[in-house]
Amino acid sequence: AHYLQNYAIEHRLNVKLGLTVVNVEQSEGQFLVQTSDGHSFGSQALVNATGIFSKPYQPEYRGAKECAI
């Protein structure tokens, strides 16, 4: 987590650490993200990063195949 936190600071990225995403919806070209602390925000891009390179975890969710890059 320290690497990601330092990377975000160095590149001035608005990365949210320590939160659980409870819901994601896509509407009008944006992802609407709801977090476990009750906050929500919109984003044009969404990165689902979990697991490690040698053993990634890829959760299944509705709409994933239609939204692949």
Side-chain angles (χ1 to χ4, degrees):
H2 293 291
Y3 170 78
L4 179 58
Q5 188 174 20
N6 292 338
Y7 186 89
I9 291 168
E10 182 178 333
H11 296 281
R12 297 182 181 159
L13 301 173
N14 186 15
V15 174
K16 308 290 186 189
L17 299 172
L19 293 175
T20 300
V21 173
V22 295
N23 190 49
V24 177
E25 294 181 15
Q26 193 172 18
S27 176
E28 298 180 17
Q30 278 201 64
F31 292 98
L32 305 175
V33 180
Q34 200 171 36
T35 60
S36 56
D37 65 354
H39 289 93
S40 59
F41 59 93
S43 176
Q44 292 179 334
L46 179 69
V47 176
N48 179 17
T50 182
I52 57 176
F53 289 118
S54 62
K55 192 173 181 180
Y57 171 71
Q58 297 177 331
E60 292 192 24
Y61 54 91
R62 186 184 66 224
K65 292 180 182 173
E66 294 80 17
C67 191
I69 295 176

